[in-house]
Amino acid sequence: MIADDHRRALVALLGPDNVLWEDGDRVSYESGARFDRGRAALILRPRDTQTVSAAVSYCVKHDIAIVAQGGNTGVVSGSTPDDTGEQVVLSLDRLTQRFELDRENRSLRVDAGFLLSDVNGRLAKHGLQFPIDLGADPRLGGMLSTNTGGSRFLRYGDVRQNVLGITAVLADENGTVLDLMSGLRKNNTGVDWKHIFIGTVGAFGIITECELNLEPLPLQVATALLVPRDGAAVMRLLAAMERQLGSYLSAFEGMSGNAIDAALVHVPSLRNPFSNGETAPYAILAEVSRDWPIREGEQSLDLVLETVLAEIWGSDDAPLADAFVGPPQELWALRHALSEGVKASGRLVGFDLSFRRGDVIRFCDHMKETLPERYPGIRICDFGHICDGGVHFNLVLPAETTFDAAAEQALRAYVYGTAVESFGGSFSAEHGIGRKNQAFYDRYTSDHRRALADGLKQLTSPARLGTVRFGSA
Amino acid sequence: MIADDHRRALVALLGPDNVLWEDGDRVSYESGARFDRGRAALILRPRDTQTVSAAVSYCVKHDIAIVAQGGNTGVVSGSTPDDTGEQVVLSLDRLTQRFELDRENRSLRVDAGFLLSDVNGRLAKHGLQFPIDLGADPRLGGMLSTNTGGSRFLRYGDVRQNVLGITAVLADENGTVLDLMSGLRKNNTGVDWKHIFIGTVGAFGIITECELNLEPLPLQVATALLVPRDGAAVMRLLAAMERQLGSYLSAFEGMSGNAIDAALVHVPSLRNPFSNGETAPYAILAEVSRDWPIREGEQSLDLVLETVLAEIWGSDDAPLADAFVGPPQELWALRHALSEGVKASGRLVGFDLSFRRGDVIRFCDHMKETLPERYPGIRICDFGHICDGGVHFNLVLPAETTFDAAAEQALRAYVYGTAVESFGGSFSAEHGIGRKNQAFYDRYTSDHRRALADGLKQLTSPARLGTVRFGSA
């Protein structure tokens, strides 16, 4: 734990309401979203950038390690303290003062502590959104520091593509405030430094404010559940839909039958969307959407989607085995329940992988052939974003399986090894890096890149910050 | 000039066909697109990454300065040698071997020497494009190193948003090849290093290969020339079109009457698009496009555009004074001729500025009030990308004006000062940094950011590379 004089000094800097140290107050900041439990020395809850700077400066001068934390929804231990009880958690949860909408610029300058749901709730009445669609509800700072993608990447890109500017506090003796704030979309005046803070999980600085690009809310939406004829048909189906729907297509989410079944069992409010009641081995949630008001003489989107599906159905060697046009709310409720359902259905070992788009299904097929012989009883409950190559590759072992940490690491090594070495994929598509996958970062990152990270760390935040070691030491 | 033994050694490394030194052979590599003339020691034209590496290594070991050059279409002296005759130009123009289309992934792995027109020419038969629309025809390496934006940023973003991976050669003794190649769209496994090479004009490494995101070609396009009622109406017009056309809207380009007149005078093949023959003081080229085939029962885009314009026309306090729906080829020919027309119409001093979207017109209006009294006879021939805040702010002085280098710097200082300090804008929206605007980079970049750039330079390419000094020394 932390010395009393440090605690008193930090209370003096932040105010007594903004520092927590009692066991009961700390606990929600010490536990991650998935199997994650550490112990914090203190929880700091600064309300503005200047106070973040003062707190960081104090900690650096006294060699106190800091872990920045947003909504604490991450699943790789990127924002929770380790079990030493020596790390201070710097939570962004009170950084919620500034919220400045610039409608002409279609942008929002905002403190990094806002929840995604709050941001989009406030923007809805203006017909605007920050267009990152996630199952979880993180805070903006956490979203930027992990560069989350989500389900509508196809249409809007990831967080990185929708950030115009940031303010970051560096872990040096001054708690330097680095002003990279900008409301500009085109600005090529040297190194675009914000990109070294986006996706690097708070290792090089703490993002305290940002300016976000906003997009119009969709005004028409239609969805369908599609059953591809077989694995090889999935990419042909995507190609046909991209060709015939162009930028209408806003999501193309793959869901294994195992994941759907897990959700249907464990989330009883869901309705089985297959009209015959039988879950298909694999299904696609396809969404089309338009962000303009429907006009007289224009076909409804449901009709457009039905027409296109009928055309695909009627084509030679049709990639479709079945299709159900259904209400968006119901189908998205199923999609967003997959994670919870899978987690509840046994001993989960989760992976967040990405590939060239054509390799997602090939990888999953390969795993279906090789995993069950190594791990009897294993269920592959994959789902994900076929259209951008991402897949949440979840493995569920029977609850009674004895599976210690070493066995889990061996399974992880096998899956990551196959994904990265045999299929040229990524071992972290959108969850970022944390203690949970540090070993695999170390394995798959070249010495040269780690040396570059060492240099960058010295340049920006030489002190102890974050849960990750991107460098070599 | 370069010592004979260095020339012989480089000829031995690259082959005699790939090194130029005669005056007549050098000249096209020494002259930029606009008022730019230097002198090169040698021109190197390597055909692959390994040869780039060998050439760079040799030059670094012998302290020979290198300037990388793509299509040499830049306008800020970012890719041409200075007048010392001591710099070697490393041209990418023969890096044109690899061209690997991955249709499933909708991506292209390609050598950096291809011209944009070649890339899009080859992709057209697949219904795909690298969606950066420019008046010039640069090579890919140059586009990445300046992060060009262009006229369809609104729909597709800039180069940075469409690059999945790169290979870069660093200016160190080994000519280190940094493999940041990736065909992945979602990949958050540490620092995304490619972003420090994109937009930094070859100062930290030479981009030799890249993998690009591709987009479907539009299959339906309609355009109109719109005359806003006054300056204040421009943003209201944009807001109305974004609200009623959503992602149909793919360009919204502002054009001053002065720029249009200059194009009509100097490019005789153009037709005056105003039906009454009188150029409006300001006009907008608006484009709507769709990337799916038109279906029975669907309205043509021309009709959609006409309907929306009629709705806007009929609204209270309508922002429109006039509108002409016209053929895309003709209107874009006018738009793309503005630069040539303006250049031909007198003594040009050009600026590539950007602002929050709402400030473009406010800035131009301010300049129209203040510039003529300081510079009698000056014509403001601005045009640009209102929808992303970019403006090519061109000033034309009467040809007979005496205007020496000091006077030009004073004018530049006034315009940049107003843009950056009074309006919070950028002094380089999409042209990047070169010798031409180095002084303004130095003026408007904080000491801290320049110190960071020093550190990054040491980490990546400590030797003499490029025409720009991003650091402090």
Side-chain angles (χ1 to χ4, degrees):
Chain A
M1 299 304 289
I2 201 162
D4 281 353
D5 52 345
H6 289 321
R7 192 182 72 197
R8 277 191 294 270
L10 286 161
V11 166
L13 277 174
L14 276 73
D17 290 352
N18 299 322
V19 182
L20 306 176
W21 61 87
E22 300 289 353
D23 284 1
D25 293 336
R26 291 197 325 262
V27 64
S28 68
Y29 298 88
E30 293 174 330
S31 314
R34 202 187 277 173
F35 319 123
D36 202 20
R37 185 80 174 85
R39 208 155 56 87
L42 275 184
I43 315 297
L44 307 180
R45 306 172 74 196
R47 292 176 187 268
D48 56 38
T49 298
Q50 284 312 316
T51 315
V52 173
S53 167
V56 168
S57 172
Y58 184 90
C59 290
V60 171
K61 283 178 182 155
H62 297 90
D63 195 27
I64 299 167
I66 306 164
V67 173
Q69 184 177 98
N72 199 15
T73 59
V75 296
V76 295
S77 304
S79 65
T80 44
D82 63 21
D83 55 14
T84 60
E86 290 176 359
Q87 297 178 319
V88 160
V89 169
L90 191 149
S91 171
L92 307 179
D93 61 358
R94 288 191 166 168
L95 270 170
T96 53
Q97 297 184 72
R98 189 196 289 260
F99 188 98
E100 293 172 8
L101 175 61
D102 180 341
R103 296 201 61 179
E104 284 187 329
N105 200 45
R106 254 209 288 110
S107 70
L108 174 69
R109 181 164 176 171
V110 61
D111 281 346
F114 276 95
L115 290 168
L116 174 60
S117 60
D118 280 346
V119 170
N120 277 333
R122 290 193 192 202
L123 291 173
K125 66 171 173 287
H126 303 284
L128 294 170
Q129 61 170 334
F130 179 50
I132 308 295
D133 179 75
L134 301 173
D137 190 18
R139 295 185 193 277
L140 292 176
M143 294 180 72
L144 269 66
S145 79
T146 50
N147 187 28
T148 53
S151 297
R152 293 194 176 86
F153 180 102
L154 176 68
R155 179 73 158 268
Y156 301 110
D158 54 13
V159 165
R160 189 188 295 281
Q161 296 187 15
N162 289 283
V163 173
L164 304 180
I166 65 168
T167 300
V169 173
L170 307 183
D172 59 19
E173 294 226 331
N174 299 317
T176 298
V177 177
L178 186 57
D179 178 358
L180 305 170
M181 189 50 71
S182 162
L184 307 178
R185 285 181 170 73
K186 278 184 174 167
N187 182 20
N188 283 292
T189 49
V191 183
D192 195 348
W193 290 105
K194 67 175 177 281
H195 293 291
I196 67 167
F197 300 97
I198 297 175
T200 47
V201 206
F204 302 102
I206 300 170
I207 296 171
T208 58
E209 302 173 48
C210 52
E211 181 136 359
L212 306 174
N213 173 57
L214 305 178
E215 294 289 331
L217 272 177
L219 296 177
Q220 308 172 49
V221 183
T223 49
L225 195 68
L226 311 179
V227 180
R229 212 162 63 174
D230 52 36
V234 173
M235 289 311 293
R236 287 195 291 120
L237 182 57
L238 175 58
M241 304 226 10
E242 288 196 324
R243 194 169 52 242
Q244 295 190 48
L245 289 159
S247 52
Y248 275 1
L249 190 66
S250 48
F252 191 88
E253 298 278 294
M255 305 186 283
S256 64
N258 284 344
I260 294 172
D261 280 339
L264 292 175
V265 167
H266 294 282
V267 185
S269 60
L270 298 173
R271 196 182 68 82
N272 185 322
F274 299 95
S275 54
N276 57 5
E278 279 182 36
T279 304
Y282 199 80
I284 308 281
L285 166 53
E287 180 190 81
V288 292
S289 61
R290 302 195 284 214
D291 48 8
W292 58 89
I294 192 162
R295 286 195 184 73
E296 210 181 296
E298 191 176 46
Q299 291 177 346
S300 79
L301 259 190
D302 277 336
L303 188 59
V304 170
L305 184 54
E306 278 168 21
T307 307
V308 166
L309 292 176
E311 286 167 13
I312 293 174
W313 196 283
S315 61
D316 292 344
D317 194 25
L320 267 180
D322 216 339
F324 312 85
V325 173
Q329 254 187 312
E330 206 171 294
L331 293 179
W332 278 110
L334 172 65
R335 169 62 186 82
H336 284 317
L338 298 180
S339 182
E340 184 186 340
V342 167
K343 191 176 164 187
S345 69
R347 176 76 169 84
L348 169 63
V349 184
F351 300 85
D352 168 41
L353 309 175
S354 76
F355 301 93
R356 285 177 176 272
R357 306 198 313 177
D359 285 337
V360 174
I361 299 295
R362 286 192 273 273
F363 170 82
C364 290
D365 283 350
H366 177 80
M367 281 296 171
K368 276 173 208 156
E369 277 176 31
T370 59
L371 272 177
E373 24 185 280
R374 293 161 175 256
Y375 298 90
I378 200 167
R379 263 173 308 133
I380 303 178
C381 302
D382 59 294
F383 56 90
H385 322 294
I386 303 287
C387 50
D388 55 49
V391 57
H392 298 293
F393 189 74
N394 293 299
L395 302 177
V396 179
L397 294 141
E400 65 278 11
T401 308
T402 316
F403 205 69
D404 62 11
E408 178 174 333
Q409 279 306 84
L411 174 55
R412 288 192 178 277
Y414 173 68
V415 172
Y416 282 140
T418 308
V420 176
E421 292 166 23
S422 306
F423 283 84
S426 166
F427 63 93
S428 184
E430 57 183 355
H431 289 172
I433 306 291
R435 280 192 307 278
K436 199 94 181 168
N437 50 9
Q438 173 82 61
F440 300 97
Y441 173 86
D442 294 344
R443 180 171 308 167
Y444 295 120
T445 308
S446 70
D447 288 349
H448 188 204
R449 283 166 79 159
R450 288 160 69 193
L452 286 174
D454 280 333
L456 189 61
K457 179 79 179 150
Q458 287 308 311
L459 274 178
T460 53
S461 287
R464 292 193 287 160
L465 180 65
T467 72
V468 192
R469 199 188 59 246
F470 286 120
S472 47
Chain B
M1 301 303 289
I2 201 163
D4 282 353
D5 52 345
H6 289 320
R7 192 182 71 200
R8 278 190 295 268
L10 286 162
V11 166
L13 277 174
L14 275 74
D17 290 352
N18 299 323
V19 182
L20 305 175
W21 61 87
E22 301 289 352
D23 283 2
D25 294 336
R26 291 197 325 263
V27 64
S28 69
Y29 298 89
E30 293 173 329
S31 314
R34 203 188 275 172
F35 320 122
D36 203 18
R37 187 78 175 81
R39 206 154 57 86
L42 274 184
I43 315 297
L44 307 180
R45 305 172 74 195
R47 290 177 188 269
D48 56 39
T49 297
Q50 284 314 317
T51 315
V52 173
S53 168
V56 167
S57 172
Y58 183 90
C59 290
V60 171
K61 283 176 181 156
H62 297 88
D63 195 26
I64 299 167
I66 305 165
V67 174
Q69 183 178 98
N72 199 14
T73 58
V75 296
V76 295
S77 305
S79 65
T80 45
D82 62 21
D83 54 14
T84 60
E86 289 175 1
Q87 295 178 320
V88 160
V89 169
L90 192 149
S91 172
L92 307 179
D93 61 359
R94 288 190 166 168
L95 270 171
T96 53
Q97 297 184 72
R98 189 195 286 262
F99 188 98
E100 293 172 9
L101 175 62
D102 181 341
R103 295 200 61 179
E104 284 187 329
N105 200 45
R106 255 210 286 109
S107 69
L108 174 69
R109 180 163 176 172
V110 61
D111 281 345
F114 276 96
L115 290 167
L116 174 60
S117 60
D118 280 347
V119 170
N120 277 334
R122 289 192 191 203
L123 291 172
K125 66 171 173 289
H126 303 283
L128 294 169
Q129 61 169 333
F130 180 51
I132 307 296
D133 178 76
L134 301 174
D137 189 18
R139 296 184 191 278
L140 293 176
M143 292 180 73
L144 269 66
S145 79
T146 50
N147 186 29
T148 53
S151 298
R152 292 192 177 89
F153 181 102
L154 176 68
R155 177 74 157 269
Y156 301 110
D158 54 14
V159 164
R160 187 187 297 280
Q161 296 187 17
N162 289 283
V163 173
L164 304 180
I166 65 168
T167 300
V169 173
L170 307 184
D172 60 18
E173 293 225 332
N174 299 317
T176 298
V177 176
L178 187 58
D179 179 358
L180 305 171
M181 190 50 71
S182 162
L184 306 177
R185 285 183 170 72
K186 278 183 174 168
N187 182 22
N188 283 294
T189 50
V191 183
D192 195 347
W193 291 106
K194 67 174 177 282
H195 292 292
I196 66 167
F197 299 98
I198 297 175
T200 47
V201 207
F204 301 103
I206 301 170
I207 296 171
T208 59
E209 301 174 49
C210 53
E211 181 136 359
L212 306 175
N213 172 58
L214 305 179
E215 293 289 331
L217 273 176
L219 297 177
Q220 308 173 48
V221 182
T223 49
L225 195 68
L226 312 178
V227 180
R229 214 163 60 174
D230 52 36
V234 173
M235 288 311 293
R236 286 194 292 121
L237 181 57
L238 175 58
M241 299 211 39
E242 288 195 325
R243 191 167 55 243
Q244 297 190 48
L245 289 159
S247 51
Y248 275 1
L249 191 65
S250 47
F252 191 89
E253 299 277 293
M255 305 186 283
S256 64
N258 284 343
I260 295 173
D261 280 339
L264 292 175
V265 168
H266 295 282
V267 186
S269 61
L270 298 172
R271 195 182 70 79
N272 186 322
F274 299 94
S275 55
N276 56 6
E278 279 183 37
T279 305
Y282 198 80
I284 307 281
L285 166 52
E287 180 189 81
V288 293
S289 61
R290 301 194 285 213
D291 48 8
W292 58 89
I294 192 162
R295 286 193 184 74
E296 210 181 297
E298 191 175 48
Q299 290 176 348
S300 78
L301 261 191
D302 276 335
L303 189 58
V304 170
L305 184 54
E306 278 168 22
T307 308
V308 167
L309 292 176
E311 286 168 15
I312 292 174
W313 197 283
S315 62
D316 291 343
D317 194 23
L320 267 179
D322 216 337
F324 312 86
V325 173
Q329 254 188 313
E330 206 171 294
L331 292 180
W332 278 110
L334 172 65
R335 169 63 186 80
H336 284 317
L338 297 180
S339 183
E340 183 187 339
V342 168
K343 191 176 163 188
S345 69
R347 175 76 171 81
L348 169 64
V349 184
F351 300 84
D352 168 43
L353 307 175
S354 77
F355 301 93
R356 288 177 174 270
R357 306 198 313 176
D359 286 337
V360 175
I361 300 295
R362 286 193 273 273
F363 170 81
C364 290
D365 284 349
H366 176 80
M367 281 297 173
K368 277 173 207 155
E369 275 177 32
T370 59
L371 272 176
E373 24 184 279
R374 293 162 175 253
Y375 298 91
I378 201 166
R379 263 173 308 133
I380 302 178
C381 301
D382 60 294
F383 55 90
H385 322 295
I386 302 287
C387 51
D388 54 49
V391 57
H392 299 294
F393 189 74
N394 294 299
L395 302 177
V396 179
L397 294 141
E400 67 278 10
T401 307
T402 315
F403 206 67
D404 62 13
E408 179 175 333
Q409 279 306 83
L411 173 55
R412 287 194 178 276
Y414 173 68
V415 172
Y416 282 140
T418 308
V420 176
E421 291 166 25
S422 306
F423 283 85
S426 166
F427 62 93
S428 184
E430 57 184 355
H431 290 173
I433 305 292
R435 281 191 305 278
K436 197 93 182 169
N437 49 10
Q438 173 81 60
F440 299 97
Y441 173 86
D442 294 344
R443 180 171 307 167
Y444 294 119
T445 309
S446 71
D447 288 348
H448 188 205
R449 285 168 77 158
R450 287 161 69 193
L452 286 174
D454 280 333
L456 188 61
K457 179 80 179 150
Q458 287 307 312
L459 274 177
T460 53
S461 287
R464 291 194 285 161
L465 180 65
T467 72
V468 191
R469 198 188 61 245
F470 285 120
S472 48

